Amino acid sequence: MHFSLGIDAGGTYTDAVIIRDSDGSVIESSKALTTYPDPLPGMKNAIDALSPEYLKDIKLVSVSTTLSTNTILESTGFPVGLIMVGDYVIPEKLPTDYWVTVSGGHNSDGEELKALGLDSVKDFALKVKDKVSAFAVSSYFSNRNPEHELAVKKAVKELTGHPVVCGHELSQDLGAYERAITAFLNAQLIPITHKFIQAIAEEFEIRGINANLLMLKCDGSVVGIEEALEKPIETIFSGPAASLVGASHLSGLDTCAMIDVGGTSTDVAMMENGLPQLSNSGAVVGGWQTRVKAIRMETSATGGDSHVWVKGDRIYIGPRRVTPLCRASVIYPGFREKLKRNKVAKGYLCESIQVTKFYVRTGFRPIELKAGEREIYGHIGKEPVSFGDLLIALKKRPSPSMLDSLIQKRLIQAIGFTPTDALHVLGEYTEWDVEAATIGASMIGRILKQSPEAFSTEVKRRVARNIAEDLIAYLIEGMPRNEIDRVLLGRNFTRFRVEIPVVLLGGPVKAYIEDLKNLINADIIVPEHAEVGNAVGALVGKGIKRVEILIKTKVISKSLEGEAGDIIDYEAHEKCTAEGIMQYETKNEFIVFSPSERKKFEIYSEAVEYAEKLGRQLVIDYMVNAGLQKENIKIDVSRRHLAPSGWADVPLETKLVFVGVGIPRTTTTA
């Protein structure tokens, strides 16, 4: 009997799950704390907790990880040289100091606008080759004709030996600058991804696991390891995508909304007719707009480890993440007694200074600390210290902004009260130290004149409201948050009704069901194994390939008096008349733009026939190379026509979208 292994390295936990190939049943699962910045040790810990009896028969492994996302968010990618071909308007901000614009580019028909400035490309490549690890190139309308990008790639690889990423290889959407950013981000991830995948492969080899290795993409599909190495940018946000796919699989629903309550954040997404709902504009990561196809999602900084803090008589949840008191008490002996003794004057209270907040050093090495940061950092060690401890050591009030800065630089980690602690107090989740959580709730509750139970109940209610708000904001795009909140507060004798099932994932999500049902009218489901739904999703994701092919109609007008007119659009007749050319003839030309080539036809039906055949072949080739069986691939084709008012005969534009769906197979049959 054979099994498959799914692994998801989330923001807080790394989950692993074993599924039996014969019927798709979850056989065993495990959780381990995610290790940062290298997720591999956390993955090893999760695998170590699984039975060797099953591991020896693993034939398929699929992984989703925060590695790419974190690398971009923290700007820790490898240096990249960016080459932009064409008349780019450069924004104030570029993601690299090594960039150049050169002449070249094409128009929307794929015709060359200017000759490629290849000498400038070579000069730039030689100048920066020792300063960068890869290159990215984006050319104007390379999605209509990639010849300039390909010429740059060939020249730069020959000169430097570095990897070169082209914009058209990652996206066929319009937007040269966005394609440039996408190519740049992808290029800086390649060395990191190579190292990570190599380490995974070596780990499985050491364990004697001979399995087909896949990775989950941010559109909810899986990809073969070769593709993952070439296009690591497509694995950003693979965690939420894994959760969505897992929610659909565990619930057996092809159409549903998914809410994943993790330690760091809450993610909302939707599955429709078996396919994830995608963002129209592409993924935004680290403030950069990309052209990467990703699931459409709503994310908020409300998770099980969100910091719960008070100021005045108000309760705040997040956005910062902290180590829960209940967990800190297990990690650090004697912490519970330190917590009991902690005191803070009410006037000092802010996000960084709380009666339940402590600080501890991380393993990161400090670089270029300010004097104030260095002073505070010197008094924080490997055991938790409180505001009071720092006050005594410094003989003055520690600066909240300096504490914030040290957290942002990841030099210290905060400990504080969280929704996880609240659930411990209420007895709804008791994995860690209940007494430490109760002490914390009592200390904060005293400030608000509430019992530990009353305070924890209010925290739980607030979290449920935040979750409901995220769901409605996702389903009703553009609705202001304050209006959503006004309805959720229930002061208008009405509430929202959700017409599709809502699947909850996450460790203690069952605790929020009743509160959510009081806020929204919805069929809320917590499937079995909801606590490891993301790892299930990493494994059961389908192979999905989307290919778009555009057929564009051009009208060629020619004077019968021997004067050649321009290649123009459907105003051809009017233009000729305006230029005094009274006799002319016109004919249509049909240009097919695909990810692989640009081709012209004189007959529309021949262009469509060619596009149909090519689109299907591109889908099949991609999915077979990713390890899927040809007979298990289903391809759906949709067509959209653009025909302006007054336009006759054939459409002005025809877009064909091919979507291939298949189920990955293990390397051998069970």
Side-chain angles (χ1 to χ4, degrees), residues 165-312:
V165 176
C166 294
H168 81 275
E169 296 169 337
L170 298 166
S171 174
Q172 288 294 299
D173 290 341
L174 296 174
Y177 175 72
E178 288 78 10
R179 288 198 306 276
I181 294 298
T182 305
F184 166 82
L185 295 175
N186 191 79
Q188 70 169 191
L189 291 170
I190 286 176
I192 295 170
T193 305
H194 271 256
K195 182 180 177 182
F196 174 69
I197 290 177
Q198 184 180 14
I200 291 178
E202 289 174 355
E203 177 66 20
F204 289 146
E205 186 177 348
I206 292 170
R207 292 175 183 268
I209 298 175
N210 181 23
N212 185 20
L213 182 59
L214 305 175
M215 293 193 77
L216 196 80
K217 293 166 56 178
C218 53
D219 64 356
S221 66
V222 291
V223 63
I225 211 64
E226 292 301 320
E227 182 88 357
L229 287 169
E230 290 181 7
K231 301 178 181 179
I233 185 68
E234 293 182 345
T235 65
I236 57 171
F237 303 139
S238 64
S243 298
L244 177 59
V245 175
S248 176
H249 178 82
L250 291 174
S251 66
L253 297 168
D254 284 340
T255 298
C256 62
M258 178 279 303
I259 302 175
D260 180 17
V261 184
T264 306
S265 64
T266 292
D267 301 319
V268 180
M270 179 176 169
M271 186 76 77
E272 189 171 8
N273 298 322
L275 293 176
Q277 194 174 86
L278 300 183
S279 168
N280 292 325
S281 57
V284 178
V285 57
W288 299 107
Q289 174 69 63
T290 75
R291 284 293 179 258
V292 177
K293 296 290 186 185
I295 62 168
R296 184 173 77 85
M297 64 178 181
E298 189 79 24
T299 299
S300 69
T302 299
D305 294 351
S306 294
H307 186 207
V308 179
W309 53 287
V310 297
K311 186 175 182 181

Side-chain angles (χ1 to χ4, degrees), residues 402-480:
M402 293 297 176
L403 287 167
D404 276 346
S405 180
L406 289 170
I407 289 174
Q408 288 175 349
K409 293 178 179 179
R410 301 183 184 274
L411 296 175
I412 63 174
Q413 169 67 34
I415 298 167
F417 194 87
T418 67
T420 297
D421 289 304
L423 295 183
H424 275 69
V425 174
L426 298 173
E428 298 187 57
Y429 183 62
T430 55
E431 184 175 346
W432 308 94
D433 186 350
V434 174
E435 187 177 348
T438 305
I439 292 168
S442 177
M443 295 170 75
I444 301 178
R446 196 177 302 125
I447 297 171
L448 302 173
K449 297 179 181 179
Q450 294 179 343
S451 68
E453 292 75 17
F455 171 69
S456 298
T457 299
E458 179 60 24
V459 168
K460 179 186 164 191
R461 189 180 298 120
R462 295 284 187 93
V463 170
R465 197 169 81 207
N466 288 354
I467 293 171
E469 187 178 307
D470 290 339
L471 174 64
I472 301 304
Y474 179 92
L475 295 174
I476 311 176
E477 289 187 87
M479 187 172 186

